[in-house]
Amino acid sequence: MTTRILAAVDGRPESVGALRTAQWLNETGKNEVMVLTVLESVGLFDPGLAPSPLLHAGLENRQANSLRGVVQAKLRALGAGALEDAVRVEIGPPARTIVWAAQRMGANLIVMGIGGHGAMDRLAGREVALQVTRLAHVPVLAVPRYVSALPRRVLVGLDFSSFGQETLRALPAVLRPDAEVHLAHAISPRARDSLQLFAAHELRVRQAIEHAAMELELAHGIRAVVHVVEGDPAQSLLDLAEELDVELIAAGSHGHGFWSRLVLGSVSSRVLRGARCAVLIVPPLELPPELVYHASPAGGLAVP
């Protein structure tokens, strides 16, 4: 089955990793890739100016064409010229426009840059990726600028919910054939209030992860190593990722509704903000109602 992939980039150096990943996924011959770049609506720099709608639209079109040229030039520089014709520019709020484009395309995966670790990098890169994960109903793969191949060593955070199952199903599309997968679950330290209960719970957790590992191998031929750790789920995943030197952390997003998905502090949000590698966030399959009832972003303009 063909996987439809939307690579959302903005032409900045931070998006090179997303372009490289789109190139590798396109080269498999199993995927249909579209490259999207979003131009935010043009503002008026002089309050005294009141350009006509035609002049305003003309300026936006020129900027959109310029941005498309920048992205196409980066693709050529990366040796990914085959994707040049797949570049599309849309005008509107970045995160919302990306999600709507993915919905219209019927995308199964969104790929985008993750940015750096500084405050401005988080604002410019990670926060847009975080907003997309909160709105999207398909997996979002956020990758750093410096990536050299599709991920091979992967850490998956499991919680034995449908989100964990969806995360495992989404993995094969973004991994190398020789992938090394680690499945992990963090037990809260509060469980140690009773050592007997803790031991029983740890045993059940390990058995459940081993069962998930067996299903992963049977379904996709991917063998997995099982880890049961104690501590805060997000920090435990980040610490284990550093220890294992993984190239990708995968986790499910737990928001059941639109507003609950906007709440800060979830495991997936903290992992995305703190990771030093690529992150795959797998959200609920259902689209938030706030997106279902709108056909396109307010004020959005597609530029073919």
Side-chain angles (χ1 to χ4, degrees):
M1 184 179 70
T2 300
T3 299
R4 292 183 175 180
I5 298 169
L6 177 67
V9 300
D10 59 10
R12 296 182 306 147
E14 288 80 2
S15 65
V16 169
L19 287 173
R20 286 197 179 106
T21 300
Q23 175 189 6
W24 298 325
L25 292 172
N26 186 61
E27 288 173 348
T28 66
K30 301 177 182 178
N31 305 308
E32 177 185 337
V33 179
M34 184 180 85
V35 180
L36 173 72
T37 185
V38 179
L39 174 68
E40 293 196 68
S41 299
V42 177
L44 298 180
F45 299 99
D46 185 341
L49 293 177
S52 69
L54 287 177
L55 180 61
H56 188 263
L59 176 58
E60 285 189 326
N61 278 318
R62 287 194 296 274
Q63 289 186 320
N65 289 329
S66 175
L67 184 56
R68 180 191 291 107
V70 169
V71 173
Q72 289 175 327
K74 287 188 179 297
L75 286 169
R76 288 194 296 273
L78 293 172
L83 288 175
E84 279 190 65
D85 292 338
V87 177
R88 180 180 178 85
V89 181
E90 294 198 12
I91 300 172
R96 190 169 56 174
T97 303
I98 291 168
V99 173
W100 257 297
Q103 182 188 3
R104 291 195 306 272
M105 175 189 178
N108 308 105
L109 175 70
I110 298 173
V111 178
M112 57 191 307
I114 200 173
H117 287 274
M120 292 307 296
D121 290 323
R122 287 197 299 271
L123 288 174
R126 290 170 188 262
E127 297 308 296
V128 174
L130 184 57
Q131 291 168 23
V132 170
T133 64
R134 289 169 175 168
L135 292 172
H137 68 300
V138 296
V140 178
L141 176 62
V143 296
R145 176 181 178 182
Y146 298 105
V147 292
S148 56
L150 291 176
R152 178 181 176 273
R153 189 177 294 112
V154 182
L155 175 63
V156 183
L158 290 181
D159 60 0
F160 314 116
S161 68
S162 61
F163 301 97
Q165 295 168 5
E166 292 301 329
T167 303
L168 292 178
R169 277 195 283 269
L171 271 182
V174 300
L175 300 184
R176 288 166 50 179
D178 59 342
E180 172 189 323
V181 177
H182 296 261
L183 305 183
H185 177 81
I187 301 176
S188 169
R190 287 176 297 180
R192 280 204 175 273
D193 292 345
S194 168
L195 291 179
Q196 185 176 2
L197 289 176
F198 179 86
H201 180 55
E202 184 179 22
L203 178 60
R204 287 195 299 270
V205 165
R206 185 171 295 277
Q207 289 173 338
I209 299 182
E210 289 173 350
H211 180 72
M214 181 178 65
E215 289 186 338
L216 186 63
E217 183 174 1
L218 288 175
H220 303 290
I222 299 174
R223 292 191 175 184
V225 180
V226 171
H227 302 267
V228 178
V229 297
E230 181 182 349
D232 172 78
Q235 192 58 51
S236 296
L237 271 181
L238 292 171
D239 292 343
L240 188 57
E242 290 285 333
E243 178 184 334
L244 297 172
D245 191 25
V246 301
E247 297 152 345
L248 173 69
I249 302 174
S253 176
H254 283 249
H256 294 281
F258 179 74
W259 292 111
S260 62
R261 290 170 70 175
L262 294 183
V263 176
L264 296 177
S266 71
V267 173
S268 55
S269 298
R270 291 169 60 194
V271 167
L272 184 58
R273 283 178 165 153
R276 296 185 177 275
C277 61
V279 178
L280 176 69
I281 301 297
V282 182
L285 292 177
E286 70 276 7
L287 193 66
E290 285 77 3
L291 292 180
V292 172
Y293 297 129
H294 294 79
S296 62
L301 173 65
V303 181

